[in-house]
Amino acid sequence: GLVNQVVSQLIQAIRSKDGCFSSIQRLGAGSYYEHVKISEPNEFDIMLVMPVARLQLDESDDTGAYYYLSFKRNPKEKYFLKFLDEEKKLSALKMLQALREIIKQEVKNITSKKKVGSPAITLQIKNPPADISVDIILTLEVQQSWPPSTQDGLKIEQWLGRKVRGEFRNRTLYLVAKQNKREKVPRGNTWRLSFSHIEKAMMNNHGSSKTCCEADGPKCCRKGCLKLLKYLLERLKMKHTKELEKFCSYHVKTAFFHSCVMWPNDADWHSGDLDHCFQKYLGFFLDCLQESRLPHFFIPQYNLLSREDKASSDFLSRQISYQLNNRFPIFQE
């Protein structure tokens, strides 16, 4: 409730300031909205979505996830022109700065801080006994087909069906303001594809039969498995912050979607088999760590576990194996 109140107030302020952000809409993303939040609801991701027409997408590297954006012809919305850089590319950095300024004026009582390279503006809302942190993510909504790098991704035919895949691929394309770390000279003008709206849809309709986990339908343990591995990673990151800083819950979530495809039937995730299913899913994640290979679920050429991070993958692999072989002492702590 508190978050909704703050965000509604913010959106009103942002819309009224100047033409640039007048069409902004909110979209809840992340674990809270997918109903897989594991601890206190103290972290929220809010995507502030701006519709943009006729963009040209140029890949900024070989991942297929990061793009430079430019207008195919002069935009009707003239205010976009001030966000172009000298190469006529739409600058994520300029847009974020403008948005952050508006937010700063509006929320003198809320501290906003910037994480380096993060696509988010983070608000800390004082809410004793603990603060709530809200990540505000600037997102462009583009009405055009998904880029070629996504062609072989989203392999859900056996799990959710060919029809569902078609429906998903017809949905809007989202791009978030996100610095590409692989750029030699970061200029703040890269944008990353975002599929959080599709991820949310898959989470909330996760069964191969349409009745999985409905009030009177059979229950599965898919979300239970995901929550366990998220919790395990969260606890390990608390203990080994430095060694595991490269890892985040998105790795676990990506491995989860791949597992749903490998074991597509609801019978593979029977609610009574949580222990067995969790070990299968965990085994797959360990394989990914050992091979330093976890393909992005929507962009298969994009490996989320790069070879350079082999040492931290090995470290996490050892930590998880220890927990697995000793019946997860960390859950008892």
Side-chain angles (χ1 to χ4, degrees):
L2 184 58
V3 170
N4 283 336
Q5 191 189 328
V6 170
V7 173
S8 302
Q9 175 196 338
L10 264 186
I11 288 178
Q12 261 180 317
I14 292 166
R15 282 185 188 150
S16 65
K17 277 294 182 287
D18 59 8
C20 308
F21 300 111
S22 59
S23 55
I24 219 154
Q25 299 282 345
R26 73 172 282 180
L27 185 75
S31 57
Y32 179 78
Y33 297 96
E34 293 165 350
H35 310 294
V36 289
K37 188 90 186 98
I38 44 176
S39 36
E40 290 297 306
N42 57 354
E43 289 181 359
F44 293 82
D45 293 333
I46 304 285
M47 295 169 79
L48 289 192
V49 181
M50 286 180 77
V52 190
R54 297 186 304 279
L55 279 179
Q56 162 90 22
L57 274 65
D58 294 304
E59 295 193 13
S60 77
D61 64 6
D62 59 358
T63 60
Y66 289 90
Y67 290 82
Y68 299 121
L69 305 182
S70 48
F71 287 97
K72 288 185 177 167
R73 42 189 181 280
N74 262 347
K76 284 204 299 288
E77 304 84 355
K78 292 289 174 255
Y79 50 75
F80 275 117
L81 296 174
K82 67 179 180 195
F83 297 130
L84 298 180
D85 65 11
E86 56 284 355
E87 293 171 6
K88 295 277 183 277
K89 294 191 179 83
L90 190 55
S91 165
L93 188 65
K94 286 184 177 184
M95 288 187 77
L96 274 176
Q97 279 167 342
L99 188 60
R100 184 176 285 109
E101 277 313 304
I102 298 174
I103 291 175
K104 255 171 42 188
Q105 288 162 18
E106 186 55 30
V107 285
K108 300 237 174 356
N109 53 340
I110 300 178
T111 55
S112 86
K113 63 178 197 293
K114 185 176 190 305
K115 296 186 197 134
V116 179
S118 158
I121 297 167
T122 304
L123 302 177
Q124 299 291 117
I125 303 175
K126 301 270 174 259
N127 181 39
D131 288 358
I132 297 176
S133 114
V134 182
D135 276 353
I136 291 183
I137 301 159
L138 175 61
T139 310
L140 302 180
E141 179 180 10
V142 190
Q143 297 290 349
Q144 57 201 58
S145 51
W146 293 14
S149 63
T150 63
Q151 196 56 53
D152 298 326
L154 191 59
K155 280 270 168 270
I156 56 173
E157 291 88 344
Q158 302 301 309
W159 168 33
L160 299 176
R162 182 169 290 126
K163 189 168 153 225
V164 174
R165 182 179 191 267
E167 282 165 12
F168 283 161
R169 284 191 58 90
N170 281 328
R171 291 203 190 177
T172 318
L173 189 63
Y174 287 119
L175 292 135
V176 294
K178 175 78 170 126
Q179 180 57 56
N180 182 357
K181 294 194 178 68
R182 299 184 182 205
E183 281 198 305
K184 299 284 178 284
V185 185
R187 292 199 303 279
N189 60 0
T190 52
W191 298 79
R192 191 189 65 204
L193 295 178
S194 165
F195 301 95
S196 50
H197 55 315
I198 312 286
E199 289 162 7
K200 184 165 141 188
M202 291 194 297
M203 284 289 181
N204 293 335
N205 287 302
H206 53 257
S208 55
S209 75
K210 295 295 168 244
T211 54
C212 188
C213 291
E214 282 183 359
D216 48 358
K219 302 281 183 281
C220 79
C221 65
R222 286 180 181 92
K223 280 189 174 181
C225 290
L226 175 60
K227 285 179 174 179
L228 276 174
L229 189 45
K230 279 181 68 156
Y231 185 64
L232 179 59
L233 179 63
E234 199 172 276
R235 300 300 310 224
L236 288 171
K237 275 178 71 94
M238 282 174 174
K239 265 189 153 162
H240 310 283
T241 315
K242 187 88 190 79
E243 295 86 346
L244 297 179
E245 65 182 357
K246 290 279 197 295
F247 289 96
C248 63
S249 61
Y250 197 72
H251 290 104
V252 166
K253 184 160 126 180
T254 300
F256 170 73
F257 288 137
H258 286 301
S259 299
C260 288
V261 166
M262 286 193 315
W263 299 291
N265 301 316
D266 297 341
D268 300 325
W269 301 88
H270 198 274
S271 65
D273 297 337
L274 177 68
D275 188 28
H276 169 69
C277 295
F278 178 60
Q279 298 214 18
K280 263 194 327 190
Y281 163 41
L282 193 58
F284 169 69
F285 187 57
L286 281 169
D287 288 345
C288 294
L289 290 173
Q290 270 141 18
E291 292 165 25
S292 276
R293 184 159 168 66
L294 176 59
H296 190 288
F297 193 66
F298 297 83
I299 311 168
Q301 71 196 53
Y302 180 21
N303 180 13
L304 298 177
L305 296 176
S306 65
R307 294 264 168 229
E308 300 88 84
D309 303 330
K310 183 88 179 91
S312 40
S313 292
D314 289 344
F315 183 87
L316 180 55
S317 174
R318 286 195 301 275
Q319 294 300 324
I320 291 178
S321 300
Y322 173 81
Q323 293 296 327
L324 181 62
N325 298 332
N326 292 281
R327 306 182 62 172
F328 301 99
I330 203 159
F331 288 161
Q332 265 74 60
E333 283 169 16

